Amino acid sequence: METKPPIPLAILVGIQTPEVDDVAHEASLEELGRLVKTLGYQVVGTVSQRREGTGAGSLLGSGKLAELAALTGGTGVVGSMAPTPRSKARQRFEDAAEPAPKAEAGDDAARRPEFVIVDHELSPSQIRNLERATGAQVLDRTGVIVEIFHRHANTREAKLQVEMARLKYVAPRLRESSGGGERRQGPGAGESNLDLDRRKIRDRLAELKEQLEAVQRDSDNRRSARRDQLRVALVGYTNAGKSSLMRALTGSQVLVEDKLFATLDTTVRILQPETRPRVLVSDTVGFIKQLPHDLVASFRSTLTEALEASLLLFVVDASDPTYAAQLEVTRSVLREIGADVVPSLLVLNKMDRVDAAGRAALLEKHPDAIMLSAHAPEDVSALRNTIIAFFEAAMVEDVLVLPYAKQGLIGEVYESARVLSEEYDENGRVLKVRGLPGALARLQRSLAAPAEGSGRHSPP
């Protein structure tokens, strides 16, 4: 029977700088632990230190570095990158020595953590120094997020976006790799292996950019076709409950998991029960503190879904004590793309986990917010009514005359507007409708355009 490989063990490392209070520091480390769990690792310990900044060569002070190394089995000393000189006699002695016994794969107590996960973005030299001192593989917060995105990307567009961000993250960290100085012979002679790796990454990035632009043109065309429709975008911090709310509002079987970044791809569904005109609801990728800039840039099309929406619903986990900071992260990213001008409503989700005192405090601080639980049908129904009322306030009434030669457009009329009455005269079908001004103007243009084949000239 084939045994499963053991779950990788990890130690978390955090630096608390003067501007970060205890609550925010603990929340950040807890969130990092959930990221690491999403990656499939088991957190077995945490090392934290108060310091003025995160710019030190080994990040930690010598005492904390020794404490971390004791957990991972490292020396606790950064030392020199140069190989230790060994005599031939010493080398023969070491080669003949018996290897140290290995711990059993299933015995976690005998295993050392293989990973050190740092709650900050590290420079290549900091990663190198920590790895040499601890003997473990070091990942920073950015590296963890990029790796999660890489594993969870499903659509072609998301896979291209994540691969671009991943290569941009890896490229500068090649500079510090050891053993990269050998010169190649033959084709590309004179290039080191490191130079070759960099060139391969540049070429691959250019290729990915071209492919992504083609895919995004198709996405832009699909969004353009929905431009005059009623569109609601759910935005918010990862794991705030957007997917649960999406499922409740639309009846769709979107993925719902208690994981960070369980879904990366934008999902668009119709609000249920269906309205006329119908309302489209989109669930966008979640945000997180220190979301790598390259990922923000790569997920342009997902963010554009929010930019082009008629209404944004800022979904917040009201039970999280750091919800205000999480909300600010979401608003900050959306400000970067200009989506802060889109009308929005604040939705305080997971209210079933908030006690009476907490509810009163939230109500006082956010009197206009919608408080709900995505698992309570009456709350979801009230939110649906609020969405419909928002769009209803922007609608106007108009009269459309559908010529008999253009009866094929009746489906488009019913899809884009609510038909209040319908009559017939010598010109065709006369429809009294209610809808958004832009959608009605588009319908009027379609109805006024010459029917196909009517542009032929009559014989003299």
Side-chain angles (χ1 to χ4, degrees):
M1 182 176 175
E2 190 175 337
T3 58
K4 292 183 179 179
I7 297 175
L9 306 181
I11 296 284
L12 305 186
V13 175
I15 298 295
Q16 185 176 358
T17 52
E19 66 272 11
V20 178
D21 61 30
D22 292 345
V23 173
H25 179 63
E26 289 299 324
S28 185
L29 279 173
E30 183 183 342
E31 182 177 87
L32 181 64
R34 292 170 62 205
L35 284 168
V36 172
K37 181 182 176 184
T38 301
L39 207 52
Y41 300 168
Q42 180 183 344
V43 177
V44 295
T46 301
V47 172
S48 181
Q49 186 175 29
R50 296 176 186 267
R51 302 206 79 181
E52 288 299 315
T54 58
S58 58
L59 188 73
L60 297 164
S62 57
K64 281 292 179 180
L65 188 60
E67 180 184 325
L68 176 62
L71 296 171
T72 60
T75 63
V77 179
V78 173
S80 169
M81 286 191 69
T84 305
R86 295 188 301 171
S87 67
K88 290 182 180 180
R90 178 68 180 174
Q91 186 170 346
R92 283 196 299 271
F93 172 77
E94 289 178 354
D95 291 344
E98 290 186 11
K102 292 184 178 179
E104 291 296 323
D107 187 5
D108 280 355
R111 290 172 56 205
R112 298 281 191 177
E114 305 100 314
F115 290 89
V116 169
I117 313 291
V118 181
D119 194 26
H120 310 277
E121 185 165 355
L122 301 177
S123 69
S125 60
Q126 285 178 315
I127 291 177
R128 179 201 66 198
N129 291 340
L130 279 172
E131 286 184 339
R132 291 169 58 208
T134 62
Q137 185 175 337
V138 175
L139 285 175
D140 61 8
R141 186 183 180 93
T142 300
V144 172
I145 295 173
V146 169
E147 184 61 27
I148 291 172
F149 270 57
H150 171 68
R151 294 187 187 185
H152 288 190
N154 291 317
T155 64
R156 174 170 168 74
E157 182 174 12
K159 288 178 179 178
L160 291 171
Q161 291 166 327
V162 172
E163 188 180 351
M164 283 186 70
R166 201 175 185 218
L167 289 175
K168 288 177 180 177
Y169 173 77
V170 168
R173 286 155 180 82
L174 292 176
R175 297 172 189 164
E176 300 287 343
S177 62
S178 58
E182 300 86 353
R183 298 288 167 180
R184 290 174 53 81
Q185 306 296 321
E191 277 191 321
S192 69
N193 289 335
L194 189 54
D195 291 334
L196 182 63
D197 288 341
R198 289 177 185 163
R199 183 158 56 81
K200 283 181 178 177
I201 288 178
R202 285 196 301 270
D203 292 345
R204 180 60 179 158
L205 281 170
E207 182 183 347
L208 288 169
K209 184 180 179 183
E210 189 175 322
Q211 292 177 19
L212 186 58
E213 286 174 351
V215 172
Q216 288 181 337
R217 278 196 294 272
D218 292 337
S219 298
D220 291 343
N221 290 337
R222 287 194 297 272
R223 275 196 302 276
S224 179
R226 302 195 300 261
R227 189 153 289 157
D228 293 327
Q229 293 181 300
L230 311 182
R231 297 160 64 186
V232 178
L234 306 180
V235 296
Y237 212 73
T238 183
N239 214 41
K242 297 188 304 302
S243 295
S244 295
L245 192 56
M246 175 78 166
R247 174 179 280 194
L249 285 170
T250 65
S252 59
Q253 297 303 307
V254 296
L255 178 66
V256 177
E257 282 191 87
D258 186 21
K259 283 186 178 180
L260 303 186
F261 303 116
T263 50
L264 295 183
D265 306 297
T266 299
T267 307
V268 181
R269 297 289 185 268
I270 299 171
L271 181 69
Q272 298 294 337
E274 197 167 334
T275 60
R276 284 289 181 263
R278 67 184 188 179
V279 177
L280 301 180
V281 183
S282 61
D283 178 17
T284 61
V285 65
F287 302 114
I288 198 167
K289 180 171 67 79
Q290 297 176 32
L291 186 66
H293 181 75
D294 286 329
L295 281 176
V296 175
S298 296
F299 277 75
R300 179 191 67 84
S301 61
T302 293
L303 298 177
T304 302
E305 195 73 44
L307 180 62
E308 296 181 353
S310 318
L311 174 66
L312 295 180
L313 294 184
F314 282 87
V315 183
V316 173
D317 177 0
S319 67
D320 193 310
T322 62
Y323 82 90
Q326 295 179 359
L327 178 59
E328 180 51 36
V329 167
T330 303
R331 293 193 188 280
S332 175
V333 175
L334 292 175
R335 272 196 299 268
E336 282 185 41
I337 64 166
D340 53 327
V341 299
V342 179
S344 64
L345 295 172
L346 177 61
V347 177
L348 298 178
N349 190 23
K350 305 187 183 182
M351 290 300 294
D352 52 317
R353 303 181 184 179
V354 181
D355 59 23
R359 284 173 173 265
L362 287 169
L363 184 60
E364 183 178 357
K365 190 171 184 180
H366 307 286
D368 298 326
I370 300 166
M371 298 184 179
L372 57 74
S373 167
H375 301 296
E378 62 277 12
D379 288 355
V380 175
S381 178
L383 175 60
R384 178 183 178 275
N385 292 337
T386 300
I387 292 170
I388 293 171
F390 171 83
F391 288 120
E392 191 71 36
M395 291 183 189
V396 296
E397 292 186 7
D398 202 354
V399 175
L400 301 177
V401 178
L402 189 65
Y404 289 111
K406 291 192 173 184
Q407 293 303 301
L409 294 176
I410 188 63
E412 185 178 344
V413 172
Y414 270 88
E415 188 174 290
S416 304
R418 185 186 314 142
V419 177
L420 305 176
S421 66
E422 188 173 336
E423 299 176 354
Y424 294 85
D425 64 13
E426 66 276 7
N427 297 314
R429 196 182 312 205
V430 180
L431 303 166
K432 186 177 181 181
V433 297
R434 183 174 177 83
L436 290 181
L440 297 183
R442 177 177 53 79
L443 288 172
Q444 291 284 20
R445 289 194 298 271
S446 297
L447 297 176
E452 193 172 335
S454 64
R456 297 174 186 165
H457 295 288
S458 301

